[in-house]
Each structure stands twice: as C-alpha cells, then as structure tokens.
Amino acid sequence: MSFSDSETGSHGGEYKSFKQLSRDRLLHEMLGTSGSGDSRSSWKVLIMDKVTVKVMSSTCKMADITDQGVSLVEDLFRRRQPLPSMDAIYFIQPTKENVVMFLSDMSGREPLYRKAYVYFSSPIPKDLVARIKNDTSVIPRIGALGEMNFEYFPIDSQGFVTDHERALSELFGESAQNSRLAEASLNVMATRISTVFASLKEFPLVRYRAAKEQDGSTAANFRELVPGKLATAIWNNITTYKSSIPNYPQKETCELLILDRSVDQIAPVIHEWTYDAMCHDLLDMDGNKYVHEVPGKAGGPPEKKEVLLEDQDPVWLELRHTHIADASERLHDRFTNFVSKNKAAQMEQRDGSELSTRDLQKMVQALPQYNEQKEKLSIHVEIAGELNKVIRETGLRELGQLEQDLVFGDAATKEVIQFLRTKQDTSGENKLRLMMIYASVYPEKFEGDKAAKLMQLAKLSPEDMKAVKNMRLLEGSEKRKPSGSFSLKFDSKKKGNAARKDRTGEEEETWQLFRFYPMIEELVEKMCKGDLSKDDYQCMNNAHKTTHEANGSSARNIPPKATTESTNPRSVRSRRTPNWARSRTSDDGYSSDSSLKNFSTDFKNMGQRIFVFIIGGATRSELRVCHKLTSKLRREVVLGTTSLDDPPQYITKLKLLSEKEASVDPGLGI
C-alpha cells in the first residue's frame, strides 16, 4: 500500500497547458497506473461519488476512460454487483460517509472487488486514514491509497470552476454577514482551488483584493473581507502542501490573483460581441448544447438534433473568440472555399449532365469526409445566421453602441433617456442591462427617488429594481474605490464619466462594438509589470517581498518579449462605421486558433503561469481575455471562478442578494 501524491509535476521537461496536465493526471497517473499488466487485458471498475464524477466528466471523455482499461463506471452510493475477479479504482472525496462505504465494499470474506486502488480528491483527515488502517481485513486488498488532490472542474483549456453556483448570495447577500454557510462555502472553495496547485505542483504567489476601511477606526464589513479570507485559507493549504506532497516546490512558481465580482460589475451584463458569448447570450442553449432541425427521414417531419459546441469541434475552436462579424465572414469564405475544392461538392452542383465513371469514383471517395465537413460548417453557418437575425430584429447594434459609449464616457444621461423614450420596444432584459451599466458608471443617478424615475421611464418592474439596488451590496462600503474598480473620473473631453480608458492601437478598435474589455485584462497586465497597487492588492507570501523579487528566482517568469503587433499592414477602421469587416491576416490574439498556434510553437518560451480567481462568477469575456493575454504575455493565464455565468444567470443571482435566506447549493459538497 502506498500513500502519496503523484511525483509528476509541471516543472521541467515538456510544457503542457493547464487542461492537458489535468487530463493527464486523471488518465495516466490514476487510471493508467492502477492494476497490473496491460490495461486492455485487465479491465477495471471506476467508482466515484457525486462530486468526483463531475470532475471526471468535465476533464475526460468516456472514450479516454475506456482506453485506460475501465469497462464499468459506478456510483459509490448505488447498489453494485460483486465483481470479485476485477480490480476497482475509487476516486472519491475524503469524507466519513465515503470511507465507510469503501470499507463496506472491501471488508469481510467476500469483498466486491479483487483489489482496490483508492484516490482521494483532496487531503484526507488523519482520523479517516486511521480508520482505514484499523480494518485489518481491508488492508491486504488495497493496491494503492493516495491523494489525487483534484477537486476542481475544468471548463476550458484555460479555465475551471469550483461549482459554487450560490457563491454570490452566500458571500455577498444581506444574510451573509459571518454566517456559518458563508464560512463553510469559503472553506470548500479554498480546498478546491488549492487542489489546482497541488495537482499541477505549482507554488503560487498569492495576492488578493484587500478590504478598504470606511474610516480610520471602523472595521471593514464581511463582504469586503471575502477575498482576504479566501486567500488566507488557500495559503494555509499551500503551506501544508510544502511539507506533505513529495517534490512540491519550495519557492514561488506562479502567481494567483484573487478578486471578487465587485471588481467589474459591467462585464457580466454588457453585450459581448464574440461568437461564443453571443451563442450563449442570444440563443436558447442548454449549456454547450445547440438544438437545430434537420430534414426528417423518408420525407417525414423535421427532426431535432443536438450539437455540442466544444473544443473537439475545430470550427468552434477557431471562431469562438472572434467577433460575430468576423466569424460570419470566415464561415462564408470557408464554405465557399470548401465547395470549390471538394470533389463531392462539385459533383453535387453539376447541372444534371451524365457523370463519367472516374467522376463517380472521385465522388464516392470524397463523400464520407465531405458529409462530415459539410455538416460541421453548415451548423455554424446556421448558427451565425440565427445570431445575425436576432441582432437585426432586436436592434442590438444601436443598444450595443450606447452600452460601449457609456462605459468609455462618450455618452451620458441624455443619450440613455433618449434611447429609453425612442426604443420602447426593447426587451425588458436589455433595458435592465443598460440600466445596470448606467448605474455602474453613474451611481449618483440612482440615489433617492432618482432610481424609481429611471425605472419608470424604462418600464421595469420592482423585481428588476432589485438587480440594480443589489449592485451596492457587492461594492461594499461607499468609500471603497480601490484602483481597478469603477474609475469614475470626469474627462473634460468626454460627455461624462468613464469606467474604462480607450486602448488606442489595440485590435479592439478594428471592430465596431469591440472596444470594451474586462477589468481583469488591465489588472493582469499591471501585475506582470509590477504596477499593481500593493495596498489594494496585498500579498500573502511575504509582506516585504515584491512580486518581481518573489518570482526572480525562476527563469520561467521572464519570457521573451511578446510580439503584440504584426509587421503586416492592418486595416484599422472606425468603430462607428457600419462595416464590421477587416483583414483576417492579422493575428489579434483573441481567436482560439491564434492563441493555440502561438502556444504550441512557443512552449519552451512560456513564462510562469498566472491564475486569476473571481469569487461570485466570471464571464465569457473574461475567459476570452485569458486566452488573449496568454498569447500576448507568453504566460499561460488560467481563469478560475465559482461559476461561469451568462447575463441572464448573473442577473437572477444578483436579485437573490436581498433575499433573507439562501438554500444550500448541492454542488458544495458540504
């Protein structure tokens, strides 16, 4: 019996991305090393609980698991058939209930399985280890006993969640002040985040958004202390790892920046104009599932078919972070090019003249690949067409322009009132999102009875009012205005307040309605340059050690200077022109293909990883920015969060902040 963490770290040798390392650990270090002999000749059973099954499904495909010799996947708490000739792999949380169930399976004269290889998703308490060791009938039947330290849920090649859907209400709601539920939520969250660093064998420099006291003598409220509390809990776990995990680094190998949702209340509600964000915002999707109609068999009625928009789809991978106009153009060009080059497509378009035997042979040879490629392209052409239709029918371009102008100080109260009076057919949700952006930039316009008058003009309900009012709960004390929050500074050249500065020379200016950038982009860039305020974003590791001093011992931290601008000429067009097109020869770092291309060719030149964790939910625009910054900074930027929220989900959660009680999230594992 062995009790150890894997000794394979991310330092030295081939550089792998965050999700690659995560996937390899589960498949090769856990499933691939359990049992004896060739995995195909010795089939195994994989047993998981409700949390670890979500971890596994978010990281690996069923085919991956089968390739490692797993023939059956079972639920720990369901009645299972005895398979005494097979080995079992237990991937479970280190809870009393799970350990009792495992011991029940393997004790007595007739255990359910031949050998048990037990892996815990996070550190196991000593009393549970003792409980296992005290069962003398089970000990000889244990082939391995270890801590995988893997209790996070990858959602992207550079993103993960802790699966705390109710984090916003539990930690920032009116009833959150020092509640037991809030503390329990933070503890589970810290454990799951910590397993990221244990799993990757990374020792982070931990920085967090510090609380601001309302005055010199008054302590900050609980909501403002949340990032610091989480940072402390993570730091305590990391300190334990340094002495308990073999070969765990003793010096900082990466950076972790802990934020909460108050750092940017605009990003969750502003319309994001990328293909990925628009699919989830404007279409009725279930997670990553898109449902569309296909012709029925034998001339029957149309049938519904589900399509997964995920990394395994190369078209999705290329287009997801591109502007919707760019995605539409690329799809049109690609489909045209595909038809012009594919033999089967050419035959399909013939005018009915007789085909030669050679033509038929070429067509038959091309058909399988042709049908597959045509179907993938056709689906995305259909989706892009549906998105553009929604944009036209809802007048979203004009609303999007006003949203961006508000954020950058090019519009003020006059323009908002004019829009509400002239565009009364705008949906309630879109008007609410506009109001929330307006409140972020002009909070003083919502004081006293001003808010009620604005809501009356927008014809929004009292229920919708909750979302705007509850934004103050996230912000904490009235005087809390650290750098990186809403920069409500008046620029005489602007019409009013501005929550963002224009980034002249950036690729965002190429596209209409693509000026907006999430605040984390600015914060990460400042942190890399050493310009992030040490008062507003404090460090857990050592109070007197600066970021560069802490990381200076590692050569990986200083990558070659990234090339942020192409030497090829680019067409930079006015943001206000109705023409969205641009030359696609530019590599803007936003599209997945450009990021992956740079990433795959420059593994050895990558600097230290940067982890950003946002408490209270993150957005697709923030995930997109992490891909962009990875290419720009030559440092893999990984986004962690409690949940990934689209605008409707976020607004619903924000309304719940004023509810007196929040029910326990079943995903908490507490």
Side-chain angles (χ1 to χ4, degrees):
M1 178 180 73
S2 64
F3 190 86
S4 65
D5 190 90
S6 165
E7 296 187 4
T8 303
S10 60
H11 312 290
E14 181 186 357
Y15 190 95
K16 293 185 177 181
S17 69
F18 162 74
K19 191 168 185 179
Q20 282 177 313
L21 280 170
S22 300
R23 179 177 174 274
D24 286 354
R25 287 206 68 225
L26 289 181
L27 292 180
H28 305 307
E29 295 178 27
M30 185 176 75
L31 301 184
T33 59
S34 302
S36 56
D38 180 71
S39 61
R40 282 288 187 182
S41 62
S42 180
W43 291 101
K44 298 164 285 194
V45 182
L46 175 60
I47 300 158
M48 296 178 285
D49 59 37
K50 65 178 181 179
V51 170
T52 54
V53 75
K54 292 175 73 173
V55 170
M56 183 65 74
S57 62
S58 66
T59 311
C60 309
K61 297 289 184 183
M62 192 62 205
D64 299 328
I65 298 171
T66 304
D67 287 343
Q68 296 302 318
V70 173
S71 61
L72 185 63
V73 176
E74 294 270 35
D75 184 333
L76 177 66
F77 284 93
R78 286 192 177 179
R79 188 178 182 86
R80 284 166 276 129
Q81 177 186 355
L83 297 168
S85 63
M86 296 179 70
D87 291 340
I89 301 170
Y90 285 80
F91 179 37
I92 55 179
Q93 287 185 292
T95 64
K96 179 181 177 181
E97 294 77 13
N98 285 356
V99 169
V100 168
M101 186 62 70
F102 156 66
L103 293 175
S104 172
D105 288 349
M106 298 304 296
S107 62
R109 294 184 178 181
E110 297 181 354
L112 292 186
Y113 311 105
R114 181 175 57 190
K115 280 274 187 182
Y117 296 80
V118 188
Y119 299 94
F120 293 104
S121 58
S122 55
I124 181 171
K126 292 181 179 179
D127 63 310
L128 293 182
V129 176
R131 187 165 189 154
I132 295 171
K133 289 183 176 180
N134 288 338
D135 195 324
T136 55
S137 66
V138 172
I139 291 295
R141 297 165 182 164
I142 297 179
L145 185 64
E147 293 170 344
M148 275 304 289
N149 285 314
F150 198 127
E151 205 170 294
Y152 54 94
F153 310 86
I155 53 169
D156 182 83
S157 59
Q158 292 171 225
F160 70 92
V161 297
T162 58
D163 197 28
H164 288 82
E165 288 289 341
R166 294 187 180 274
L168 207 63
S169 59
E170 288 169 355
L171 299 175
F172 299 96
E174 287 187 347
S175 59
Q177 195 82 2
N178 290 318
S179 72
R180 291 178 60 187
L181 181 60
E183 293 292 345
S185 178
L186 277 174
N187 288 336
V188 176
M189 198 182 300
T191 297
R192 293 184 178 175
I193 297 168
S194 300
T195 65
V196 172
F197 300 103
S199 187
L200 272 59
K201 290 237 175 122
E202 293 273 22
F203 177 18
L205 180 84
V206 182
R207 298 188 70 177
Y208 62 95
R209 191 181 188 209
K212 292 291 179 182
E213 294 184 353
Q214 296 181 23
D215 54 51
S217 59
T218 306
N221 65 36
F222 176 82
R223 299 181 191 94
E224 294 185 48
L225 295 172
V226 167
K229 285 176 174 285
L230 181 61
T232 300
I234 292 172
W235 178 250
N236 290 338
N237 292 337
I238 298 296
T239 303
T240 303
Y241 292 156
K242 289 176 69 176
S243 58
S244 63
I245 295 180
N247 301 325
Y248 192 80
Q250 300 300 302
K251 293 182 179 179
E252 290 86 348
T253 62
C254 65
E255 293 179 81
L256 167 64
L257 178 62
I258 299 173
L259 309 168
D260 60 51
R261 192 61 268 168
S262 68
V263 77
D264 187 351
Q265 294 200 57
I266 297 176
V269 293
I270 194 169
H271 283 90
E272 164 82 354
W273 290 78
T274 57
Y275 186 51
D276 177 13
M278 292 224 127
C279 284
H280 289 88
D281 191 359
L282 303 184
L283 302 181
D284 186 19
M285 290 180 60
D286 178 14
N288 288 332
K289 292 179 185 176
Y290 173 73
V291 180
H292 69 124
E293 288 190 347
V294 295
K297 296 177 181 178
E303 299 175 357
K304 290 188 176 182
K305 184 176 180 181
E306 289 185 352
V307 178
L308 284 177
L309 303 181
E310 55 183 0
D311 290 359
Q312 282 69 33
D313 179 352
V315 181
W316 172 255
L317 200 61
E318 175 189 343
L319 299 179
R320 60 178 177 168
H321 293 153
T322 60
H323 190 285
I324 179 59
D326 188 19
S328 300
E329 280 200 356
R330 289 195 195 195
L331 284 167
H332 178 269
D333 292 350
R334 178 172 286 196
F335 201 83
T336 303
N337 186 54
F338 169 73
V339 170
S340 67
K341 290 184 177 181
N342 190 280
K343 295 292 182 185
Q346 291 172 13
M347 301 304 169
E348 191 178 90
Q349 292 190 329
R350 288 177 71 101
D351 57 6
S353 57
E354 189 175 341
L355 298 174
S356 68
T357 304
R358 183 176 178 82
D359 287 339
L360 284 170
Q361 185 180 21
K362 287 182 178 179
M363 184 176 178
V364 170
Q365 289 173 346
L367 273 175
Q369 185 181 15
Y370 163 72
N371 287 330
E372 182 182 351
Q373 292 178 343
K374 181 184 176 183
E375 184 178 2
K376 285 184 178 179
L377 279 173
S378 298
I379 289 167
H380 288 285
V381 169
E382 177 186 323
I383 292 173
E386 185 67 23
L387 290 175
N388 284 311
K389 179 183 176 183
V390 173
I391 291 169
R392 287 193 305 271
E393 292 179 350
T394 58
L396 203 55
R397 293 187 196 181
E398 188 174 347
L399 173 61
Q401 188 68 65
L402 178 56
E403 289 176 346
Q404 306 247 342
D405 286 347
L406 271 174
V407 172
F408 287 92
D410 294 331
T413 305
K414 178 182 176 182
E415 286 76 14
V416 173
I417 292 176
Q418 183 179 359
F419 180 88
L420 293 174
R421 284 176 174 168
T422 58
K423 302 293 180 182
Q424 295 187 14
D425 58 341
T426 302
S427 70
E429 181 192 306
N430 282 341
K431 286 190 285 189
L432 175 58
R433 288 164 70 171
L434 178 64
M435 287 292 99
M436 293 171 73
I437 295 168
Y438 184 47
S440 295
V441 185
Y442 292 91
E444 70 277 7
K445 300 294 184 182
F446 287 78
E447 294 173 356
D449 61 349
K450 295 178 183 177
K453 291 180 180 178
L454 279 168
M455 289 299 172
Q456 187 177 6
L457 177 62
K459 297 182 179 179
L460 295 176
S461 67
E463 184 69 19
D464 289 331
M465 278 283 287
K466 286 183 181 179
V468 179
K469 288 180 178 179
N470 289 349
M471 292 170 73
R472 292 184 181 274
L473 290 174
L474 284 182
E475 191 59 23
S477 62
E478 293 289 328
K479 296 184 179 180
R480 183 185 182 187
K481 301 293 180 188
S483 63
S485 183
F486 309 131
S487 52
L488 305 176
K489 294 182 179 179
F490 185 79
D491 184 342
S492 59
K493 296 181 181 179
K494 300 284 188 178
K495 291 186 177 181
N497 297 349
R500 297 288 190 281
K501 294 179 181 178
D502 267 311
R503 311 195 108 187
T504 56
E506 294 269 342
E507 278 300 312
E508 292 89 329
E509 293 198 357
T510 306
W511 293 104
Q512 183 191 23
L513 307 176
F514 215 18
R515 295 165 71 188
F516 178 80
Y517 57 91
M519 191 56 68
I520 67 164
E521 180 173 352
E522 185 175 302
L523 295 177
V524 170
E525 288 182 332
K526 282 184 176 181
M527 188 168 70
C528 286
K529 295 174 183 176
D531 294 338
L532 195 61
S533 168
K534 296 178 180 63
D535 293 326
D536 294 334
Y537 298 91
Q538 295 179 6
C539 179
M540 288 294 302
N541 301 48
N542 194 327
H544 68 268
K545 192 182 288 187
T546 65
T547 302
H548 287 291
E549 287 171 342
N551 292 321
S553 59
S554 173
R556 279 185 61 207
N557 186 51
I558 310 173
K561 185 177 180 181
T563 303
T564 58
E565 293 187 4
S566 170
T567 55
N568 295 329
R570 295 176 181 173
S571 172
V572 180
R573 300 177 182 173
S574 167
R575 295 186 296 265
R576 299 182 185 278
T577 175
N579 188 348
W580 289 6
R582 69 162 167 84
S583 170
R584 288 182 304 284
T585 58
S586 64
D587 184 6
D588 59 9
Y590 271 127
S591 59
S592 302
D593 54 334
S594 68
S595 180
L596 291 171
K597 178 179 65 181
N598 292 330
F599 200 70
S600 62
T601 55
D602 290 335
F603 278 127
K604 294 180 181 178
N605 295 328
M606 295 294 284
Q608 290 186 338
R609 286 188 179 92
I610 298 171
F611 294 84
V612 180
F613 191 86
I614 303 177
I615 308 166
T619 70
R620 295 181 190 279
S621 62
E622 287 161 337
L623 188 56
R624 165 179 61 85
V625 158
C626 289
H627 284 271
K628 176 192 175 186
L629 290 174
T630 294
S631 185
K632 183 177 181 179
L633 303 174
R634 296 296 186 266
R635 298 177 65 180
E636 186 182 17
V637 182
V638 178
L639 177 67
T641 182
T642 48
S643 59
L644 186 68
D645 297 329
D646 296 312
Q649 294 171 299
Y650 177 76
I651 292 171
T652 299
K653 291 178 180 181
L654 199 60
K655 290 176 181 178
L656 291 175
L657 292 191
S658 53
E659 299 295 322
K660 295 299 180 185
E661 304 222 354
S663 58
V664 178
D665 175 23
L668 276 174
I670 58 174

